[in-house]
Amino acid sequence: MNKNLLLSFLLLFLIGITAQAQEALFGAQQITSPEIHEDSRVTFRMFAPNAEKVQVTGDFLPTVKMETPMGEMDGPGSADLTKDDKGIWSFTTESLDPELYSYSFIVDGLKITDPNNPFLIRDVASVTNVFLVGEGQAALYKVKDVPHGSVTRRWYDSPGLGMDRRLTVYTPPGYEQSKEKFPVLYLLHGAGGDEEAWIALGRTAQIMDNLIAQGKAKPMIVVMPNGNVIQDAAPGEGSEGMYKPAFMIPKTMDGTYEANFMDIVKFIESNYQVKSDKTNRAIAGLSMGGYHTMHISRFYPDTFDYMGLFSAAIMPREDATNSVYSDIEGTLKTQMDNGYKLYWIAIGKTDFLYDANKEYRAKLDAMGMPYEYIESEGGHIWRNWRVYLTQFAPLLFQ
């Protein structure tokens, strides 16, 4: 091949590669979405010139009733975007309260993520975009210029479940350089979640960093296990590879997790600088995690001094036969007689588990079992559970 022809070919080839790279970098939609204004209004935009209808749906909008695997529940509403003469659709909210919000677009009936927002969170099998507005409560969810803790994923041996399993651990600022021993909060996720849920959706690391920096919470280790006993790790992170996460999987809430929970405690107390006594152990969880908290803490009635039930599922199914669920009232009485520092219950007024929690509190009242109760607005949502963590953590290990 002629030398000049070869050089020309190479030049054209490189130009093609460069153009393709530039298209990947700069050929995307060059618009800002979401745009957060100084007055806390938020504008969403999408370039879709051929679309007939574009909507945004998210937890910043009024709720609507939706059918879910747990029955009818409140879900996010939707709002229509308006198209301009350039094919850009847009919608601007009213001023929003400080909060971490999630949203998606609906384009001609198809729900998609915002191509201009790279910040995504997975909740069970749903992936949505997120954004933060304002200070106030939302300030606790932001990364601030304060000392930061560390987040690690660890694998532990669970003899009771016959496998190595993965969990997420937050250690407080300065842990690696310290010879001090720390108290531990075991923080449990809900149905469909895994060891990634609290650290991502719950903003646990940001909350703990900020509360500790403000002197509102004591430095502590936070352990976030996987409550699905047939999994060794979150979907995509374990030996089963990449598969679609499911809401209710086999052996969910059948007593197996509760019966083998001490495998986790033993691993933490053998591998971390922790105070391994009842006074320095706390356990809390949301929904299914609240269910696990209630049953683990009474099944091991002299193990935890602090319990937090966030929007908790309460009683086992009628067909549950695991010995963990035998003599519930008797083990609760033993837990009460052993003494503890805090039994904390929180739930939203419109939560579908509200009546179950009301009945449970009546049971505790009849037993004379002391507890603290928080009732918030809203339903079975992460917005509440993040707030509950910010309220519960400062009460621990005082």
Side-chain angles (χ1 to χ4, degrees):
M1 183 181 291
N2 182 281
K3 185 177 180 180
N4 290 332
L5 184 60
L6 178 60
L7 288 173
S8 298
F9 175 78
L10 289 174
L11 181 60
L12 288 171
F13 178 71
L14 290 172
I15 289 172
I17 292 178
T18 302
Q20 192 173 24
Q22 286 178 336
E23 182 179 1
L25 288 171
F26 307 115
Q29 298 182 11
Q30 294 303 300
I31 56 179
T32 300
S33 178
E35 180 182 0
I36 301 169
H37 305 283
E38 290 185 3
D39 61 359
S40 295
R41 292 179 304 125
V42 179
T43 297
F44 301 91
R45 299 182 179 93
M46 167 169 276
F47 180 67
N50 298 320
E52 295 184 4
K53 185 175 185 179
V54 177
Q55 296 174 296
V56 62
T57 179
D59 53 8
F60 56 90
L61 292 164
T63 59
V64 296
K65 295 296 182 182
M66 300 178 63
E67 288 297 327
T68 76
M70 297 183 288
E72 188 178 73
M73 294 178 63
D74 289 340
S78 60
D80 293 338
L81 280 69
T82 302
K83 184 169 72 168
D84 67 13
D85 57 2
K86 296 179 181 177
I88 295 176
W89 297 76
S90 65
F91 170 78
T92 300
T93 69
E94 297 179 352
S95 293
L96 299 179
D97 293 332
E99 186 52 76
L100 173 71
Y101 294 99
S102 62
Y103 73 99
S104 301
F105 285 133
I106 304 172
V107 180
D108 293 338
L110 176 66
K111 183 181 285 189
I112 64 171
T113 56
D114 185 345
N116 292 286
N117 183 357
F119 301 105
L120 302 162
I121 284 183
R122 176 180 66 85
D123 189 4
V124 192
S126 298
V127 178
T128 58
N129 293 102
V130 292
F131 63 96
L132 268 165
V133 171
E135 291 297 317
Q137 179 69 24
L140 291 171
Y141 310 150
K142 295 181 179 180
V143 176
K144 297 285 190 176
D145 186 14
V146 299
H148 300 296
S150 298
V151 177
T152 56
R153 273 68 173 182
R154 295 290 305 271
W155 289 82
Y156 73 98
D157 175 34
S158 176
L161 299 179
M163 68 177 90
D164 287 346
R165 307 188 75 235
R166 187 176 182 255
L167 44 73
T168 301
V169 182
Y170 166 88
T171 50
Y175 171 83
E176 290 82 0
Q177 294 78 36
S178 176
K179 294 182 180 179
E180 180 183 352
K181 291 187 175 182
F182 295 88
V184 183
L185 165 61
Y186 295 88
L187 189 59
L188 314 183
H189 63 80
D194 46 60
E195 75 275 15
E196 297 292 312
W198 264 111
I199 206 67
L201 292 150
R203 305 293 282 185
T204 302
Q206 292 84 358
I207 288 171
M208 295 309 303
D209 281 353
N210 289 320
L211 288 176
I212 292 169
Q214 294 171 14
K216 293 181 178 179
K218 288 202 168 183
M220 67 186 78
I221 292 172
V222 183
V223 179
M224 293 155 275
N226 186 318
N228 306 305
V229 296
I230 68 168
Q231 294 178 340
D232 58 358
E237 301 291 345
S239 60
E240 295 299 315
M242 299 180 184
Y243 60 95
K244 185 177 181 179
F247 178 68
M248 298 290 281
I249 62 178
K251 302 186 75 64
T252 294
M253 300 165 72
D254 73 344
T256 305
Y257 185 61
E258 298 97 305
N260 293 284
F261 192 80
M262 292 307 292
D263 288 351
I264 297 170
V265 176
K266 290 173 183 175
F267 170 77
I268 295 299
E269 295 184 353
S270 298
N271 289 274
Y272 286 85
Q273 299 160 205
V274 301
K275 298 175 181 178
S276 54
D277 64 297
K278 178 172 179 275
T279 305
N280 290 286
R281 295 193 200 105
I283 185 168
L286 69 92
S287 193
M288 180 182 79
Y291 172 95
H292 285 147
T293 293
M294 179 263 196
H295 291 291
I296 289 167
S297 65
R298 64 161 186 80
F299 189 68
Y300 300 103
D302 203 24
T303 303
F304 302 95
D305 251 356
Y306 302 87
M307 282 68 63
L309 281 62
F310 306 168
S311 308
I314 299 295
M315 302 307 289
R317 298 185 302 269
E318 291 184 2
D319 61 349
T321 59
N322 195 298
S323 61
V324 166
Y325 303 133
S326 63
D327 193 21
I328 290 176
E329 289 195 14
T331 51
L332 280 172
K333 186 177 186 306
T334 300
Q335 182 181 15
M336 176 177 65
D337 292 343
N338 286 341
Y340 50 79
K341 299 275 184 74
L342 177 65
Y343 202 99
W344 197 84
I345 301 172
I347 195 163
K349 294 177 182 178
T350 58
D351 196 302
F352 78 104
L353 292 171
Y354 183 88
D355 288 343
N357 276 250
K358 185 177 179 179
E359 292 171 7
Y360 182 59
R361 287 188 291 111
K363 178 190 290 288
L364 298 183
D365 290 339
M367 295 174 55
M369 186 167 174
Y371 61 89
E372 292 186 17
Y373 177 63
I374 298 292
E375 189 170 288
S376 65
E377 299 298 327
H380 209 71
I381 51 177
W382 272 103
R383 186 184 306 186
N384 272 343
W385 302 325
R386 285 188 292 268
V387 171
Y388 297 160
L389 178 59
T390 67
Q391 296 173 327
F392 183 68
L395 304 175
L396 303 179
F397 315 121
Q398 301 299 325

